[in-house]
Amino acid sequence: SMDANDHTGLEIAAALRQSAGELNMNFNRLLNSSPNLRNHVDRKAIVAVASMKRSVIRRIQREGIDVRKAAVLAQLDPPDRAAAIGFSNRPVRLSLSRLRAILVLARDISIRTGESMALVIRRKRKEAIFLEENPTADFILRVFQIERNPAQSSMADAFQRYTEVLNLPEGSKVTHAPHFESDTLELSISSKNVKELRASMTKIIKSIDSSDEDWINLFDFTGYEEDDPI
């Protein structure tokens, strides 16, 4: 019998895979037979992982991938999954959200270039390691984003250069719409108290007064012009 309190989701999935074959039962029926597993928080992920071959589950266990990320990998075709398994925790351990985002980008690049998704994953992994000895998850994501949408990536880099000259106070930043689909900019301020907030706002006003041209250039870059009719 399997006890949810004594095993990880991945261990339960592995045991479920083996037991289902031996007992000739489907995964859901087997889960329902155990009171401890019937309402397991990762039930769907466990069933998804258990649907893979035992050799694949064992490899995922060796890589130290948790059951929720393994469930995402289970949705891929076998060749793409093989490439993604090694990529999930090396060269850096990816969060579930980062893994999902990178796989979406890899699929989009694959469609655009005609390469297999597995080839894209392996190629971009090598590229990230070549560019950065110890790449972060955000850096790896950025490597995929640049190829997926080079024009938008260039705009994001240019936008960052524009904001760097504004001399904004610590805890403040200017952001653009996710895909530059709007000419509206957002200014955010992080403060612990009213005194900090007042000081930050004072510095921002000084920045606008002393760097008026830089601020105008920033708005021009995202599509706004001073003489636009109201």
Side-chain angles (χ1 to χ4, degrees), residues 28-46:
N28 279 306
R29 184 181 172 192
L30 196 56
L31 279 177
N32 287 333
S33 68
S34 170
N36 291 325
L37 298 176
R38 191 176 297 125
N39 298 314
H40 196 285
V41 64
D42 289 323
R43 178 192 173 101
K44 289 184 178 179
I46 290 170

Side-chain angles (χ1 to χ4, degrees), residues 150-221:
Q152 183 175 312
S153 296
S154 295
M155 288 185 70
D157 289 340
F159 183 88
Q160 183 175 350
R161 290 195 296 272
Y162 276 114
T163 57
E164 285 174 351
V165 301
L166 298 178
N167 295 318
L168 293 173
E170 186 177 350
S172 304
K173 63 179 180 178
V174 180
T175 55
H176 55 77
H179 305 290
F180 290 96
E181 67 273 20
S182 168
D183 57 12
T184 300
L185 299 179
E186 182 175 307
L187 173 63
S188 60
I189 305 172
S190 298
S191 303
K192 295 179 181 178
N193 50 54
V194 174
K195 183 179 179 180
E196 273 193 14
L197 177 61
R198 185 179 291 112
S200 293
M201 294 181 69
T202 299
K203 289 180 181 178
I204 290 171
I205 292 171
K206 285 183 179 179
S207 169
I208 295 173
D209 289 341
S210 62
S211 307
D212 180 73
E213 187 175 342
D214 292 327
W215 282 89
I216 291 174
N217 288 337
L218 187 64
F219 278 101
D220 285 347
F221 177 74

Side-chain angles (χ1 to χ4, degrees), residues 11 13 22 26 29 35 55 59 75 96 101 103 123 136 148 150 154 170 172 175 177-178 182 190-191 213 224:
E11 290 172 332
E22 293 173 351
N26 67 44
R29 184 181 172 192
S55 60
R59 185 188 170 196
Q75 299 171 23
L96 178 61
L103 291 178
R123 177 168 61 79
T136 63
R148 170 61 182 84
S154 295
E170 186 177 350
S172 304
T175 55
S182 168
S190 298
S191 303
E213 187 175 342
Y224 176 81

Side-chain angles (χ1 to χ4, degrees), residues 42-54:
D42 289 323
R43 178 192 173 101
K44 289 184 178 179
I46 290 170
V47 171
V49 173
S51 68
M52 295 188 287
K53 292 181 178 180
R54 289 169 65 183

Side-chain angles (χ1 to χ4, degrees), residues 23 35 37 52 65 67-68 75 83-84 86 90 99 117 129 141 150 152-153 169 190 208 217 223:
L23 300 175
L37 298 176
M52 295 188 287
I65 299 169
V67 71
R68 294 186 182 185
Q75 299 171 23
R90 290 181 282 118
L99 176 62
M117 189 172 166
I129 296 173
L141 178 65
Q152 183 175 312
S153 296
S190 298
I208 295 173
N217 288 337

